[in-house]
Amino acid sequence: MKQSEIKELSIEELKEKLADLKKQHADLKMAHAVTPLENPMQIRKTRRTVARLATELTKRELQ
């Protein structure tokens, strides 16, 4: 997700997406540990998206 897409989401949508992506990231890491993924860059992309969502959520809660 791009930053512009993240800014358009509501707080509830952010929390929902964040939970989904955290689960997806854990699943990717587990799958990669068992047998190497065809595209390991997915792990990095997911991790960074989780960070973007968490940052936006924190920013909104502090306002």
Side-chain angles (χ1 to χ4, degrees), residues 4-58:
S4 58
E5 295 171 348
I6 293 172
K7 287 183 179 182
E8 294 173 1
L9 298 174
S10 70
I11 291 178
E12 290 302 316
E13 290 172 327
L14 280 174
K15 288 180 181 179
E16 188 178 309
K17 280 273 195 195
L18 186 59
D20 290 343
L21 283 170
K22 279 185 177 182
K23 181 176 179 354
Q24 181 182 356
H25 182 254
D27 292 344
L28 282 172
K29 283 180 66 176
M30 184 62 73
H32 187 63
V34 174
T35 107
L37 292 174
E38 188 173 312
N39 185 5
M41 294 299 286
Q42 293 172 323
I43 297 172
R44 183 193 307 185
K45 186 177 176 184
T46 306
R47 183 180 71 233
R48 289 184 179 180
T49 304
V50 166
R52 283 188 194 102
L53 288 170
T55 301
E56 182 66 24
L57 192 58
T58 303

